[in-house]
Amino acid sequence: MAKHWLAILAALALGSAAAAQTTDAPAILLKPAAVFDGIDGQVHAGWQVLVRGERILAVGPALPSPAGAVVIALDGDTLMPGLIEGHGHLFLHPYNETSWDDQVLHEPLALRTARAVAQARATLHAGFTSLRDLGTEGAGYADVGLKAAIDQGIVEGPRLQVATRAIVALGAYGPKGFEPGVEVPQGAEEVSGAEQMVAAVRRQIAAGADWIKLYADYRWRPGDESRPTLNLEEIKAAVAAAHDAGRPVAVHASTPEGMRRAIDAGVDTIEHGYGGTPAIFAVMAAKKIALCPTLAASDATSRYRGWNGEDPAPATVRLNQESLRLALRAGVPICMGGDVGVYAHGDNAREMVLLAAAGMRPAEVLLAATSGNARWFGEAGRLGAVRPGMLADLVAVAGDPTRDIQAVRAVRFVTKGGKIVPLEQAK
Ligand SMILES: [Zn+2]
């Protein structure tokens, strides 16, 4: 580690940091018990991984160690691609600490940003080297600045794809319940009509949005059932404007009609999808639209309301599990994303454990969280696989996570772009 940094510092003095990253830095030979490469779903005992600079150079059994290579033994561990969180909100913290309304209304932007910095670090240290952030929930464009701070090495965190403010139908989001004459800060940007939608999409892309996040349905009033919010014309206008700019579209949809509109409009991922029917999921599968089931969100909010985790589970939890099973049966691609922020950042594995409990094989869950998410997020050539030429985003966990998915919580070693992340409790 120290040697690696010295090499980079020396190269910086010579004005060739890039050269140091790719050629001058010592190679790292990792010797875990096994490698899960994120592609074939298998655990390969005895495989090793050679990293040079920011990339993986070689993978396989008994690799020769180049002269000067740093050899790191990871006894008993499985080495995998860095995990990819598919649905997070780094600017939120658990609702049992502070309600969503109070976070949006009462927490200053600087406080929310400072917390997001700490939460980004917790995410990386949990082995999640990438995260798709689906909206700052009232914290404006601060995610763009956080992403830049991480990319510039000012603070620790995962690689981010960000959605900035997200877009909702006028009057359909929150916080609510105020005297109508009072202007209240909202958790997302409000639009009405295709023209305003296009303007909002373009404004957000110009400000740094990698994704456009829409809400196709929501509770119009607190306590209501979710109902459609944006109409089909508005969603189609958003998709056209976003896709023209090369940005994909993620849609919150939990009602059948909200999902139908989003699918019809040609969006890229659907979030939650609780109300999906076999017919709806069949169209999603045909169009290769990925579903982020966010089982952990309904699990967490149910527990905040007093559920102890035992049977019978509340209706929302059962509906969520059942919709996942319908989606799997229909062949819908599954994105691993839990809506982290509703529950604690760093506990991203919670969704993986719940996906396995709901019927996915652990290896399928691991593939969803690695090469699957990389594919849905346009990173298949760079991330999500332990293969030569890929970025060296790696995580080693104790044990075999294809046997027991809980092993993903036992993080022993993390690299991002070939740099070792200093974990405080590395054993
Ligand atoms: Zn969310």
Side-chain angles (χ1 to χ4, degrees), residues 87 89 213 339:
H87 186 141
H89 299 277
K213 163 84 178 288
D339 218 351

Side-chain angles (χ1 to χ4, degrees), residues 140-232:
Y141 297 99
D143 52 353
V144 178
L146 175 60
K147 175 183 171 175
I150 292 170
D151 288 347
Q152 291 172 35
I154 299 166
V155 300
E156 282 187 87
R159 300 175 195 277
L160 295 184
Q161 293 192 357
V162 299
T164 73
R165 300 173 64 191
I167 301 171
V168 294
L170 177 66
Y173 204 47
K176 283 192 179 299
F178 296 86
E179 200 285 323
V182 179
E183 284 268 338
V184 175
Q186 289 291 296
E189 183 168 4
E190 296 184 299
V191 301
S192 232
E195 201 171 320
Q196 285 186 10
M197 175 63 89
V198 170
V201 167
R202 290 174 176 166
R203 188 159 43 238
Q204 294 189 4
I205 290 172
D210 303 306
W211 280 79
I212 292 300
K213 163 84 178 288
L214 309 176
Y215 286 74
D217 47 38
Y218 212 72
R219 302 177 291 276
W220 281 91
R221 299 273 297 273
D224 280 7
E225 293 287 301
S226 275
R227 303 272 306 172
T229 50
L230 297 168
N231 63 38
L232 180 58

Side-chain angles (χ1 to χ4, degrees), residues 87-400:
H87 186 141
H89 299 277
L90 284 170
F91 288 80
L92 289 176
H93 61 108
Y95 298 170
N96 62 339
E97 295 172 6
T98 308
S99 73
W100 183 87
D101 275 25
D102 282 345
Q103 293 186 43
V104 175
L105 289 171
H106 297 302
E107 292 187 345
L109 182 57
L111 171 64
R112 298 189 68 186
T113 304
R115 206 192 298 272
V117 167
Q119 294 177 154
R121 182 176 184 273
T123 304
L124 180 64
H125 285 223
F128 286 77
T129 52
S130 296
L131 176 144
R132 182 176 65 148
D133 197 277
L134 286 182
T136 60
E137 308 285 340
Y141 297 99
D143 52 353
V144 178
L146 175 60
K147 175 183 171 175
I150 292 170
D151 288 347
Q152 291 172 35
I154 299 166
V155 300
E156 282 187 87
R159 300 175 195 277
L160 295 184
Q161 293 192 357
V162 299
T164 73
R165 300 173 64 191
I167 301 171
V168 294
L170 177 66
Y173 204 47
K176 283 192 179 299
F178 296 86
E179 200 285 323
V182 179
E183 284 268 338
V184 175
Q186 289 291 296
E189 183 168 4
E190 296 184 299
V191 301
S192 232
E195 201 171 320
Q196 285 186 10
M197 175 63 89
V198 170
V201 167
R202 290 174 176 166
R203 188 159 43 238
Q204 294 189 4
I205 290 172
D210 303 306
W211 280 79
I212 292 300
K213 163 84 178 288
L214 309 176
Y215 286 74
D217 47 38
Y218 212 72
R219 302 177 291 276
W220 281 91
R221 299 273 297 273
D224 280 7
E225 293 287 301
S226 275
R227 303 272 306 172
T229 50
L230 297 168
N231 63 38
L232 180 58
E233 189 196 358
E234 290 165 332
I235 301 174
K236 280 186 168 172
V239 171
H243 285 180
D244 275 352
R247 266 68 173 184
V249 179
V251 178
H252 167 116
S254 59
T255 65
E257 180 58 19
M259 291 179 73
R260 271 187 216 104
R261 291 179 191 180
I263 293 162
D264 193 7
V267 306
D268 299 279
T269 67
I270 288 186
E271 312 304 310
H272 315 303
Y274 306 150
T277 64
I280 289 171
F281 285 131
V283 183
M284 267 183 85
K287 288 193 163 192
K288 295 190 167 58
I289 298 172
L291 172 72
C292 259
T294 66
L295 299 177
S298 57
D299 179 85
T301 50
S302 296
R303 287 171 191 267
Y304 299 158
R305 293 191 194 108
W307 179 45
N308 61 5
E310 287 170 14
D311 286 332
T316 53
V317 169
R318 281 182 280 130
L319 180 66
N320 203 343
Q321 292 167 343
E322 183 54 28
S323 66
L324 169 65
R325 289 188 196 107
L326 292 176
L328 288 169
R329 217 168 290 153
V332 174
I334 301 298
C335 149
M336 199 303 291
D339 218 351
V340 62
V342 173
Y343 52 98
H345 292 279
D347 189 22
N348 308 67
R350 186 170 184 163
E351 178 74 7
M352 300 177 74
V353 171
L354 291 171
L355 286 168
M360 285 175 77
R361 287 187 301 112
E364 289 176 324
V365 175
L366 293 164
L367 290 173
T370 54
S371 58
N373 276 0
R375 196 173 317 131
W376 323 135
F377 303 163
E379 298 280 12
R382 300 196 320 144
L383 299 172
V386 187
R387 289 283 166 94
M390 306 291 276
L391 287 170
D393 286 13
L394 300 165
V395 54
V397 300
D400 179 354

